Amino acid sequence: MAVTKKPAPKPTANKPKPKPKPAPKKSKRSFGDKVKWFFIKLCLWFFGVSIASVVFFKYVPVPFTPLMVIRAIENKFGGKEVYFDHDWEPIEKISMNLQKAVIASEDGSFLKHNGFDFKALQKAYKSNERGRRIRGGSTISQQTAKNVFLWQGKSYFRKGLEAYFTVLIEVIWGKERIMEVYLNSIEMGDGVYGAYAATEHWYRRDASSLTPMQAAGIAAILPNPRKFKATGSSSYINRRKERIVREMRSVGKINYNAK
């Protein structure tokens, strides 16, 4: 039986293997570009968090402020008793006399301005230039922005942040909410914060039933509530009380929705 031979395979030409495509080169950023993008991201993060915080506290009571924490730390390291009294009170339950008193004492143009009283700032600047008692021109809006979101201090950086937060709360909160947060967050005695705690501390009564003179007593000590007393006051505070009561009459009916 004849054996058939299989034809030998034809030699194939050696084809060159395709070269792998080079990986795309990563663009190298300079150090300056990295710093620039870092600050851009930081600013975007800051704006986002700050706006979200202001919106959040438009509806939610402020539980504590940076000043409350600072005071507690100061007392702790100073060997003093860490006393902290703060309860939130809706503005509907806060005496209208107290609302008028703080406007008369701290910010007569509160219902008219948009967060800044430039006339008061100019007067404060001239007064300080003459070497008189140092006085500030901060509005209730500015004080609220500082108390809730910032720390105490006089640096230009902090003042710039204060102006930024003042604009935010004026736009997002409105006057009534600013007054509500202000009266619930400011220091009204040593370890005493807000209208509820202050009226209980100084007068042993609730925040809705203050007389004009009692309200003026609390407003009169706001420049330095750890030094001055609303009851058993010095002659200086008593004069302030009388002046505030007189100016309360000119405040008139409070309408937070009108300027």
Side-chain angles (χ1 to χ4, degrees), residues 98 194-207 210 218:
L98 184 56
Y196 182 92
T199 52
E200 174 65 27
H201 176 78
W202 293 114
Y203 302 114
R204 296 292 183 265
R205 62 195 308 170
D206 62 82
L210 290 176
I218 292 176

Side-chain angles (χ1 to χ4, degrees), residues 176-201:
E176 186 173 24
R177 180 61 176 176
I178 291 172
M179 178 60 76
E180 183 176 41
V181 174
Y182 176 76
L183 290 176
N184 276 285
S185 62
I186 57 172
E187 193 174 29
M188 295 181 170
D190 192 5
V192 179
Y193 302 92
Y196 182 92
T199 52
E200 174 65 27
H201 176 78

Side-chain angles (χ1 to χ4, degrees), residues 29 35-47:
R29 288 180 181 173
V35 171
K36 181 180 73 173
W37 279 108
F38 171 77
F39 279 106
I40 290 174
K41 290 179 181 178
L42 185 65
C43 289
L44 291 174
W45 177 86
F46 169 74
F47 288 133

Side-chain angles (χ1 to χ4, degrees), residues 98-170:
L98 184 56
Q99 297 176 50
K100 289 183 178 181
V102 296
I103 290 175
S105 173
E106 298 294 301
D107 186 2
S109 301
F110 174 66
L111 298 173
K112 300 174 183 177
H113 62 62
N114 292 311
F116 306 94
D117 187 346
F118 295 103
K119 289 183 179 179
L121 286 171
Q122 190 174 20
K123 287 181 181 178
Y125 176 76
K126 289 181 179 179
S127 177
N128 296 338
E129 279 280 295
R130 297 190 191 103
R132 296 180 182 175
R133 182 191 298 270
I134 298 296
R135 56 179 292 185
S138 295
T139 62
I140 286 175
S141 302
Q142 289 174 274
Q143 293 179 49
T144 305
K146 176 186 69 177
N147 287 335
V148 175
F149 299 105
L150 301 170
W151 62 94
Q152 304 295 306
K154 297 180 180 180
S155 68
Y156 288 113
F157 176 69
R158 194 203 62 76
K159 281 289 185 183
L161 290 176
E162 179 185 299
Y164 167 72
F165 277 104
T166 299
V167 172
L168 285 186
I169 64 174
E170 279 281 341

